[in-house]
Amino acid sequence: MATRALVGFIHDLNGKPELISTYNHYDGYPENLGVALDKHYSMPEEALKIASMGYISYIDPESGEIEAKHKEPADKTPLGDDFEEAMFEVAKTADSYGADYVYIYDVEASEWKHVKMYGVTQTANALMKELAELDGGIFGPSLNEGEVDKVLSQVMFKLQDQPKHMVKAYMDSVANDIRLNGPESYADYSVEDFEEDYDNYIADKMAMEESFKHKMQYRAGIKK
C-alpha cells in the first residue's frame, strides 16, 4: 500500500515566498523517505533539486536513488507573506496529494522537517510549530529601500536641531548598513525607533572618542 508524501522547498521568489513541491508515492514514512532526504538531500541545493522533481515513485534510503514512473512538473504555490496562512496553503497542497506525511526543507536550520498529515488545520498547526524559524525569516516583514528612504526623510526632519555633522555620520552609517545587508533589518523601524537608534549611535560614538582621547593623553604623559 502506498504511503504518500509531499516533498517541499519554500524559497523566496522576487521577495515573495513560494512552495515548490513534489509528490512521493511509495514509502513516504520517516523511516524510509525521511532517512533518504536526511542522508542524501540535506544541503539546500540538493533539497531544492529533489523538491523540483515533480513525481517520485520511491527513493532508496541507502543509495538515494530515485525511481519515477511518471514525469510531471513540480507544483509551485505562492504563499504570501503571512506565516500562518502560508502553512495552511502548504497543508492544503499536501491534502490535495492525499499525503500521509509532509516534508519541508527548513532553509533557516538547513534541515528537513516533517509532520504527519491529520487534516488541514491540525497539519498547518504542526507545520507552524516545526517551521517556526521561518516566521521572521523568509516570512519576515519586508521593506524596500524606497520605503526606508521615506522614513529616513522624516527622521532627518525630527533631527534637524541636532549637530549636522553627527546626523550626517549617522545617516551614512544606516545607508552603508542597508547597502551591505539590505533594508530588511529596518522593516519594523518607526521614526521613534530611528531617533532612539540615533541617540544610541551618538552615545557609542562619544564613548569611543572619549576612550581614544584618554588613550592618547596617557601615551603623551598628560594622564597617568
Side-chain angles (χ1 to χ4, degrees), residues 93-107:
T93 302
D95 188 56
S96 73
Y97 285 12
D100 299 291
Y101 291 92
V102 183
Y103 295 84
I104 300 293
Y105 189 78
D106 186 337
V107 294

Side-chain angles (χ1 to χ4, degrees), residues 152-163:
L152 286 176
S153 68
Q154 298 177 52
V155 176
M156 287 285 287
F157 178 76
K158 288 278 190 178
L159 300 177
Q160 60 182 321
D161 294 330
Q162 299 295 322

Side-chain angles (χ1 to χ4, degrees), residues 25-91:
H25 190 66
Y26 291 111
D27 295 340
Y29 46 87
E31 294 79 7
N32 191 89
L33 179 58
V35 171
L37 294 175
D38 288 339
K39 189 174 181 180
H40 302 287
Y41 302 95
S42 61
M43 299 300 291
E45 61 273 16
E46 298 166 343
L48 177 58
K49 181 178 179 181
I50 196 72
S52 302
M53 287 289 296
Y55 184 95
I56 296 171
S57 298
Y58 172 79
I59 304 180
D60 189 316
E62 294 301 319
S63 65
E65 184 177 349
I66 299 170
E67 295 178 13
K69 293 183 179 179
H70 307 286
K71 287 187 177 181
E72 296 181 8
D75 290 312
K76 297 182 179 180
T77 308
L79 297 179
D81 296 322
D82 185 86
F83 177 64
E84 182 174 343
E85 291 179 5
M87 295 303 100
F88 270 91
E89 286 298 320
V90 175

Side-chain angles (χ1 to χ4, degrees), residues 107-222:
V107 294
E108 296 294 328
S110 297
E111 64 181 4
W112 288 96
K113 301 289 181 63
H114 74 271
V115 300
K116 183 81 169 66
M117 190 78 192
Y118 287 114
V120 171
T121 299
Q122 191 169 340
T123 301
N125 288 333
L127 285 168
M128 280 185 262
K129 182 178 179 180
E130 286 294 323
L131 298 171
E133 288 183 328
L134 298 185
D135 188 14
I138 193 171
F139 291 98
S142 61
L143 190 67
N144 61 45
E145 291 192 35
E147 292 172 311
V148 172
D149 289 341
K150 183 178 179 180
V151 176
L152 286 176
S153 68
Q154 298 177 52
V155 176
M156 287 285 287
F157 178 76
K158 288 278 190 178
L159 300 177
Q160 60 182 321
D161 294 330
Q162 299 295 322
K164 287 183 172 53
H165 70 286
M166 299 298 282
V167 174
K168 183 180 185 305
Y170 170 69
M171 300 300 265
D172 287 346
S173 74
V174 172
N176 188 55
D177 189 28
I178 292 173
R179 180 179 64 81
L180 293 174
N181 303 308
E184 290 77 14
S185 59
Y186 295 98
D188 290 330
Y189 269 45
S190 64
V191 172
E192 289 73 22
D193 290 328
F194 275 111
E195 287 184 287
E196 182 179 349
D197 191 48
Y198 169 80
D199 290 339
N200 292 334
Y201 171 83
I202 296 303
D204 290 343
K205 188 175 181 65
M206 291 180 67
M208 290 177 62
E209 290 179 352
E210 183 63 28
S211 175
F212 179 77
K213 180 181 177 181
H214 184 274
K215 185 181 294 185
M216 292 299 100
Q217 290 176 334
Y218 178 81
R219 288 182 178 179
I222 300 174

